[in-house]
Amino acid sequence: MTIAVGDKLPDIKLTKAGESGPEPIQTSGYFAGKKVALFSVPGAFTPTCSAKHLPGFVEKAAELKAKGIDEIVCTAVNDAFVMGAWGKASGSADVTMLADGNGDFAKAVGLVMDGSGFGMGSRGQRYAMVVNDGVVEQLNVEAPGTFEVSSAEYMLGQL
C-alpha cells in the first residue's frame, strides 16, 4: 500500500555518509519535530536526477526554507558512499543525502519501481513529499518517465 497524505512515515533505518563513515539514521527520530522536504530519485548520478531533480532543490533551497522547510532530504536506493559522493559532486550542501541501500524505505512507503530493464533492479520511484513532524502533508508521485510534480518548483507552488 502506498503512503498517503496524513500517514506517519514508517520507522526505517536509512544511512548518511558521515565524516568517519556510514551513520545509521532512524526515520522516527530524524523526521521528528521538523518540517522536511523529502524527495526520492531512482538513482544517484542518473541523467534526470543529476541534471534536473537534485539541482532544482539545491537552487531553490533558500526559497523552500523561507516558506517553512527546516531541512531538504534526498533519498535513493544507493549506498551511503554513492549518495555522499553525489552530494559532494553536485555542490548540494543544503541537501541531506540519505541512502536507502536495501530499498527498505521505498518498500515501506509503497513507492518502488522496477528498473531491471535498465540494469538497476528495484529502485524507489521519483516523488517528493513534505513531512511535518513525521507525518506526510504533501505527496507528489511522478508517472513513469516524467519529471513534473516532484520538482522543487512544484513544491514551492504548494507551500
Side-chain angles (χ1 to χ4, degrees), residues 8 26-36 131-135:
K8 190 160 188 66
Q26 203 64 35
T27 57
S28 59
Y30 194 82
F31 289 90
K34 55 187 166 183
K35 191 168 189 173
V36 179
V131 180
N132 194 357
D133 195 24
V135 177

Side-chain angles (χ1 to χ4, degrees), residues 5-153:
V5 171
D7 290 349
K8 190 160 188 66
L9 285 182
D11 189 20
I12 301 292
K13 183 183 83 169
L14 297 171
T15 310
K16 181 179 176 181
E19 295 286 324
S20 56
E23 299 172 357
I25 302 292
Q26 203 64 35
T27 57
S28 59
Y30 194 82
F31 289 90
K34 55 187 166 183
K35 191 168 189 173
V36 179
L38 170 67
F39 68 102
S40 169
V41 297
F45 293 107
T46 56
T48 301
C49 307
S50 291
K52 297 178 182 177
H53 210 169
L54 177 59
F57 279 92
V58 171
E59 180 183 309
K60 301 293 184 184
E63 292 175 59
L64 287 163
K65 290 179 180 183
K67 290 204 171 200
I69 296 295
D70 297 310
E71 186 171 358
I72 302 166
V73 171
C74 175
T75 187
V77 179
N78 288 113
D79 63 63
F81 299 105
V82 169
M83 292 297 285
W86 191 37
K88 286 179 184 170
S90 69
S92 60
D94 288 322
V95 178
T96 302
M97 308 300 266
L98 295 181
D100 183 20
N102 295 323
D104 295 336
F105 186 76
K107 291 174 199 154
V109 297
L111 292 168
V112 175
M113 63 167 262
D114 180 6
S116 60
F118 301 101
M120 296 171 65
S122 182
R123 297 292 180 119
Q125 286 180 252
R126 185 181 307 282
Y127 64 84
M129 63 174 76
V130 173
V131 180
N132 194 357
D133 195 24
V135 177
V136 179
E137 282 190 344
Q138 293 177 23
L139 176 62
N140 299 303
V141 181
E142 296 288 358
T146 64
F147 175 64
E148 297 167 3
V149 299
S150 66
S151 70
E153 293 82 5

